[in-house]
Amino acid sequence: MLVPESLLQHDAEKKRVKRGILSDSEERKVLEKTLYLPYLDFTYQYSHQKGLLSKQTVIGQGRSVVLALREVDLGFYPDLAALVHQLVDIESESDSVVRGIDSTLLVSERLEELKKMLSDYDNRLRELSKEYNSLLKTESAKQDVKDSIDHLSKTREARWKMFADGLKLPSKFDLEKLELLEGNLFYLPYFIVKFTRGGESRFLVWDREGKENESIEEELMKNHKFRQLVQSHADERRGPEDLDDQNETDPQIDSIPEL
């Protein structure tokens, strides 16, 4: 960590006290630890056509980073590749290290999931288009079908854009032409604090520079598997009531976000 842990502890305590003042019950801290989360730094290449008139097939190459855990998908972080040379080795047997997947297998799996997802969307859109064309202009159901088509189209585009932007792929691109080359695992420290109050809980997370990471905080709140994974590496400071997430009245959805 570039920031002393004592400063992060102080920030966490300030947030705990502030939350307590604004409510009729006080939060208590049940987890406070620096954990090392795994990231995969990987390279890839793809072929695509370039040029308006004389189409030429060229090979594009790229590099990106993904959180190397099957339990969670937080997208791609190519900017983290610049940190690799600054990091130091850590002891793999430490209970602070959350073990990751040290290969491009994880990205390959997400690529296959994306292909299937886009294919499912395309099939559904074709079915809706046929239904839309079969209806008369005067039928009230026609507008409902059109709304469904628009919604599915936007959802499909958002899912594709998340992947394409993360890898800086061309807008018109055949996923079958994407080839993953190699990947190397590295770890980044995060200071993680969990508070509970009245059966509910929340997480606060700071990165190595002392900046609060809302993406990981949100993922811990809504993703049961990721939450369990993190808590399995936590200190034994919690009572029995904190060990079972099933006892928490967490209003969030416990599911792994789709790619």
Side-chain angles (χ1 to χ4, degrees):
M1 299 289 285
L2 299 180
V3 176
E5 197 170 279
S6 59
L7 292 181
L8 302 180
Q9 291 172 337
H10 180 65
D11 285 348
E13 181 62 15
K14 285 198 302 183
K15 288 181 178 289
R16 185 194 68 81
V17 171
K18 181 178 180 181
R19 181 77 169 254
I21 293 174
L22 298 176
S23 65
D24 57 359
S25 62
E26 187 174 0
E27 286 185 317
R28 58 193 184 90
K29 183 164 50 183
V30 295
L31 184 158
E32 181 183 76
K33 188 169 186 177
T34 296
L35 293 180
Y36 291 83
L37 299 184
Y39 287 86
L40 183 71
D41 174 22
F42 66 97
T43 55
Y44 56 91
Q45 68 180 21
Y46 55 92
S47 61
H48 66 109
Q49 290 187 329
K50 191 175 182 180
L52 295 176
L53 299 177
S54 57
K55 297 289 186 181
Q56 292 184 339
T57 299
V58 297
I59 301 297
Q61 294 185 330
R63 179 183 180 188
S64 193
V65 172
V66 67
L67 187 59
L69 293 170
R70 283 194 174 92
E71 290 83 356
V72 61
D73 174 24
L74 292 177
F76 297 106
Y77 303 95
D79 53 308
L80 292 181
L83 296 178
V84 176
H85 71 282
Q86 303 175 25
L87 304 179
V88 297
D89 292 335
I90 55 176
E91 296 180 5
S92 59
E93 65 272 14
S94 170
D95 65 351
S96 296
V97 178
V98 180
R99 303 304 301 170
I101 301 171
D102 192 10
S103 74
T104 57
L105 176 62
L106 179 64
V107 185
S108 298
E109 291 175 345
R110 292 182 178 174
L111 178 60
E112 291 305 314
E113 290 172 2
L114 177 65
K115 290 178 184 178
K116 183 181 184 306
M117 185 184 303
L118 295 180
S119 177
D120 291 343
Y121 276 123
D122 290 339
N123 291 335
R124 181 57 180 153
L125 284 170
R126 280 193 290 269
E127 292 174 0
L128 287 173
S129 295
K130 290 180 182 179
E131 183 179 351
Y132 179 82
N133 293 330
S134 68
L135 295 172
L136 299 175
K137 291 183 178 180
T138 55
E139 293 186 73
S140 58
K142 197 175 185 73
Q143 183 59 44
D144 293 337
V145 175
K146 183 179 184 303
D147 290 342
S148 296
I149 291 175
D150 291 342
H151 174 72
L152 275 178
S153 296
K154 290 179 181 178
T155 304
R156 184 197 187 283
E157 179 62 24
R159 296 292 170 81
W160 161 247
K161 185 176 175 59
M162 183 188 304
F163 192 91
D165 288 354
L167 297 186
K168 295 183 172 57
L169 298 174
S171 56
K172 295 182 179 181
F173 175 72
D174 183 0
L175 278 175
E176 299 297 335
K177 297 179 179 179
L178 180 65
E179 179 185 1
L180 301 174
L181 301 178
E182 60 180 355
N184 297 293
L185 202 64
F186 67 95
Y187 290 85
L188 288 176
Y190 289 92
F191 186 71
I192 301 177
V193 178
K194 177 185 177 182
F195 294 119
T196 65
R197 180 182 63 203
E200 297 182 348
S201 66
R202 66 169 175 148
F203 287 85
L204 297 178
V205 180
W206 286 266
D207 64 18
R208 62 196 290 270
E209 296 179 336
K211 297 178 181 177
E212 196 169 346
N213 190 304
E214 295 181 355
S215 295
I216 294 183
E217 289 175 354
E218 181 180 355
E219 193 67 16
L220 282 168
M221 286 300 299
K222 70 181 182 181
N223 188 331
H224 179 67
K225 290 186 177 180
F226 184 41
R227 188 163 64 245
Q228 281 191 324
L229 181 66
V230 166
Q231 290 182 164
S232 69
H233 289 76
D235 292 334
E236 299 296 333
R237 297 178 183 174
R238 303 170 306 224
E241 72 277 11
D242 301 312
L243 296 177
D244 186 0
D245 277 325
Q246 310 252 341
N247 294 333
E248 297 177 5
T249 56
D250 186 353
Q252 305 292 335
I253 299 175
D254 287 330
S255 61
I256 301 179
E258 294 178 336
L259 184 64

